[in-house]
Amino acid sequence: MERLRISPLHPVLGAEVAGVDLSQPIDDATRQALSRALADHLALVIPGQALTPAQYLAAATVFGPPMEQHYSQHNMADFPLIGLIWHRNGQRPAEQWHTDHTNRERPPAATILYGVEIPSAGGATSVASMRAAYLELSEDERRRLQGLTTFNSLDRDRTDTRPEDLDKYGQAIEHPMVRTHPIHGSPAVYFHISKATHIRGMTPEASQAYMADLLQRMIRPEVVYRHAWRKGDVLVIDNRATMHRAHGDYDRQESRVLWRIIVEGDRPRLMG
Ligand SMILES: [Fe+2]
């Protein structure tokens, strides 16, 4: 395999990776380099890929074992570990800042998106460094957040959740609001405003208000990498230290299709 080249895309997060063809088997040294690059840069763009579902699944294992996604109605019929992000099957773009599947005890370490059909304008995906955002908070607020946890379930604002998904993935799971990255030990803010039912010891209303206020204050342009999609891009997002969102600013006559894989991670922990 040719040599991996990693070039930062933004001062705070995001890097483009050249020199890897994800349709081919990936050697151990390259796997390790990609994993480490993800932890360091928090978002990797690997452009110019042409992948079948089976090749895509094999490549995703670089970042961890693929795991089942809830909202199973959007999974590919023949490859249920791949979720389809596509507005024409009734989905709305996820425009609220979030991190994926916080209702799991061990939420995904990474979310991987592959650009299959890309609109001619708009429809970007933005990623925010919650590690950089955490460092910008006052020391008092960092200390306060270190003592807080959220309880997480499936999104309350969805009406199309299948009963079997609710049974499997609807129980309350508690996570710290600051988590330590298992690779390099840096802290990052961690919560999902519409999956968190409440913060321990706070009412749902006060919890929502505080999380909304945090998002407003923490996610500034300086900590955001906005990815304008090209067909064939693979975007890997480190969920252990980022939040992301979709941009719905594209012409709905055009198609925007992304294939999503999530890979297993650790249980979020705050280490002292
Ligand atoms: Fe997401």
Side-chain angles (χ1 to χ4, degrees), residues 85 94 98-101 111 192 239 244-245 260:
I85 295 176
H98 68 283
T99 174
D100 287 340
H101 286 54
T111 293
H192 187 311
N239 292 327
H244 61 270
R245 58 161 292 192
R260 176 170 80 167

Side-chain angles (χ1 to χ4, degrees), residues 250-269:
Y250 60 95
D251 179 354
R252 295 305 154 85
Q253 300 306 311
E254 295 188 53
S255 213
R256 178 181 187 269
V257 179
L258 306 178
W259 291 357
R260 176 170 80 167
I261 297 175
I262 55 177
V263 296
E264 276 174 25
D266 300 319
R267 179 151 202 174
R269 289 193 297 158

Side-chain angles (χ1 to χ4, degrees), residues 71 73-74 89-91 158-162:
Y71 308 134
Q73 68 272 34
H74 302 309
N89 62 6
Q91 297 174 53
R158 298 192 60 135
T159 51
D160 61 342
T161 307
R162 290 176 168 170

